[in-house]
Amino acid sequence: MPPDLPDRTPLTLVTGLDRALSARIAHTLTTPGTVVVSHDLRDVEHGRVVRSIHRMDADGTDHFSLDDVELEHGCVSCTLRLDLLPLLRTLHRETVARIVVVLDPVVEPEHVALEIKSTVVEGPGLTPAPAGDDVALLHTVCGVDAARWLADATGDVTLAEEGLGVGEDERTLAQVAVGQVRFADTLIVERADAVDSAWDLARLHAVLIRLAPGAGMRTLNSQQSLDSALMAGALSSGTTHSPHGRPRRPFDPLLAGRPDLTADCGVELFVYEATRPFHPGRLHDALDALLDGVVTAHGRLWVAANPDDILWLDSAGGALGILRVGSWLATDPEVEADDDHRAVASMIWDETYGDRHSSLAVLCHRAVPDEIRSALDGALVTDAELAGGPEYLAALPSPFGTEHHDPCDDLELSDRSSAVAQGAAEQTTTDHPEGDDR
């Protein structure tokens, strides 16, 4: 056990859209003293989940169990809170060197990390406490199918249309795919020889290393096998700049991990910044520029009609969400805010507008950055509108309340957006990885 975690059991998450690849990754992580847990959620909306547990004793002896877990309310969160989280706490109290949790394809690891950290659970022999008191999420490994991941991550197909949907979950495949890779500390890319061309494979790599710049990565073709030695090398090739179980927060560096900002195979990552507010109506129209040819965009927005609110934008492929994640310090200097928020505010403080600003990181694969910048510039309030004063600006008709989603009839929050909001509400002061402080 790591010396700085003497009282917690190390935990590794395995994630990805491909169940078979996740299972192969988990197999390479199964060493003496390891317990591998997985939940099959394909029938969860009917209140039934299949849980499998593979234990390998210190002497290498394997033990398997397969159980049906009955839930009163069939949903992903119920599975986590009523079964997985108590199980993690129970396993910690047994002779276990490491726990590996294989996530169902519809589960985003950042959401699980937040549940582990903050959700209080109890059970037989367990006093009320979060699972994070007993286990330490140190690593997330994500499997990527090279032949289809980029198409999945840039489309607008919903989980339901893909046959993965659970209940009223309206997330898209792109939201899940992007969320899984972004939270990864290690990427295992398979089927490289099934990609149409070397250029397409290079483009995929250009996207992945900008989306998860701190992660270690191994790319395999169909003739190469994934084994324990290869996995060990992949795990050790990552950096301290990957999440390592830490959920994102609104004032984390948008370029954490120091990603490459040069263009490669048409892929480019750039930051858009503005020190005047967006006109709400024109911003709504300009958001279309982020829904075509863009892998993902995320960051903070200052909207004229919401002068007190920090709005968080998060997009993946053809889906985009905006929600309120806090208040600007300019609204109330005594408002509860984390150290990162105060650090950003001190760098950009304006005598009139305080810390209000907009800052977005945009990862393109087909879109032209200058066209996106132009569309966003055109959505900013004009000098004449600014001259109207704060009351005029606050009274502008706005489609943005505490949350907004495009397409506009999509009313479900993505797990990633709600994870950022929950992270903001917790107001923790954990040190963030080094990176650009914008």
Side-chain angles (χ1 to χ4, degrees):
M1 188 174 295
D4 58 334
L5 301 169
D7 300 322
R8 294 192 288 167
T9 302
L11 170 65
T12 298
L13 298 182
V14 178
T15 187
L17 295 177
D18 188 323
R19 292 179 189 274
L21 177 51
S22 292
R24 289 195 295 275
I25 290 171
H27 179 73
T28 69
L29 297 171
T30 309
T31 54
T34 298
V35 176
V36 180
V37 179
S38 67
H39 290 81
D40 188 330
L41 302 179
R42 281 175 283 193
D43 203 25
V44 68
E45 64 180 310
H46 298 110
R48 177 177 177 270
V49 173
V50 178
R51 180 188 66 202
S52 67
I53 300 178
H54 174 199
R55 300 171 182 259
M56 180 178 284
D57 292 343
D59 62 2
T61 304
D62 291 308
H63 305 274
F64 294 90
S65 65
L66 195 66
D67 300 289
D68 285 346
V69 178
E70 300 293 335
L71 301 173
E72 183 177 351
H73 303 287
C75 67
V76 175
S77 292
C78 289
T79 304
L80 292 173
R81 294 172 181 176
L82 300 180
D83 194 73
L84 176 60
L85 298 182
L87 177 60
L88 293 178
R89 299 194 64 202
T90 299
L91 290 173
H92 165 71
R93 286 156 174 76
E94 301 176 3
T95 307
V96 175
R98 177 175 63 176
I99 302 170
V100 175
V101 173
V102 183
L103 300 178
D104 189 272
V106 302
V107 179
E108 296 179 52
E110 187 173 17
H111 178 68
V112 176
L114 277 166
E115 294 276 6
I116 290 171
K117 175 183 178 183
S118 60
T119 299
V120 175
V121 295
E122 54 188 309
L126 302 174
T127 57
D133 285 3
D134 295 325
V135 300
L137 175 51
L138 302 181
H139 217 97
T140 299
V141 184
C142 179
V144 173
D145 182 343
R148 62 169 295 175
W149 185 87
L150 189 55
D152 289 340
T154 55
D156 57 6
V157 176
T158 66
L159 293 179
E161 291 169 336
E162 189 68 15
L164 297 172
V166 177
E168 298 180 356
D169 189 347
E170 296 183 13
R171 289 174 299 156
T172 64
L173 204 59
Q175 288 174 305
V176 176
V178 168
Q180 290 170 340
V181 168
R182 176 181 278 147
F183 200 68
D185 305 299
T186 299
L187 300 174
I188 301 298
V189 183
E190 281 200 341
R191 297 211 306 143
D193 50 347
V195 178
D196 289 340
S197 68
W199 186 89
D200 288 315
L201 182 60
R203 182 176 63 157
L204 171 64
H205 281 146
V207 170
L208 294 176
I209 63 176
R210 286 163 177 78
L211 184 57
M217 182 165 57
R218 291 292 185 273
T219 301
L220 309 176
N221 62 40
S222 58
Q223 303 302 312
Q224 296 171 297
S225 60
L226 177 59
D227 57 27
S228 299
L230 187 145
M231 178 58 69
L235 294 175
S236 64
S237 67
T239 73
T240 58
H241 300 304
S242 64
H244 291 291
R246 182 182 182 276
R248 287 181 302 157
R249 304 195 59 207
F251 283 88
D252 283 350
L254 295 182
L255 300 179
R258 299 173 179 170
D260 190 344
L261 299 183
T262 59
D264 184 12
C265 298
V267 176
E268 186 170 351
L269 175 64
F270 70 95
V271 172
Y272 175 86
E273 296 181 303
T275 55
R276 65 171 62 197
F278 282 108
H279 184 285
R282 293 199 297 272
L283 174 61
H284 184 267
D285 293 339
L287 292 178
D288 286 345
L290 298 175
L291 299 177
D292 186 19
V294 174
V295 179
T296 183
H298 69 280
R300 303 174 290 270
L301 295 176
W302 171 23
V303 177
N306 305 73
D308 298 338
D309 299 332
I310 304 168
L311 299 182
W312 178 263
L313 179 147
D314 211 344
S315 79
L320 180 149
I322 296 175
L323 69 158
R324 183 184 183 277
V325 293
S327 299
W328 300 109
L329 293 180
T331 300
D332 178 6
E334 302 303 318
V335 70
E336 189 175 8
D338 61 32
D339 291 345
D340 292 326
H341 184 174
R342 295 191 181 278
V344 170
S346 68
M347 290 188 295
I348 66 170
W349 194 267
D350 178 87
E351 290 185 3
T352 302
Y353 301 114
D355 58 327
R356 296 182 179 95
H357 71 284
S358 294
S359 187
L360 294 174
V362 184
L363 177 58
C364 303
H365 73 298
R366 286 189 292 102
V368 179
D370 283 347
E371 292 180 359
I372 295 175
R373 292 187 185 97
S374 178
L376 294 174
D377 284 344
L380 296 171
V381 297
T382 64
D383 289 341
E385 289 165 338
L386 276 176
E391 292 185 0
Y392 165 78
L393 294 174
L396 290 171
S398 174
F400 307 107
T402 57
E403 61 183 80
H404 177 82
H405 300 267
D406 278 310
C408 292
D409 59 354
D410 181 355
L411 301 179
E412 290 294 319
L413 283 174
S414 77
D415 280 350
R416 291 183 298 105
S417 289
S418 52
V420 172
Q422 185 175 338
E426 288 178 357
Q427 295 296 337
T428 58
T429 57
T430 306
D431 290 339
H432 59 71
E434 294 181 13
D436 191 300
D437 286 328
R438 286 175 283 188

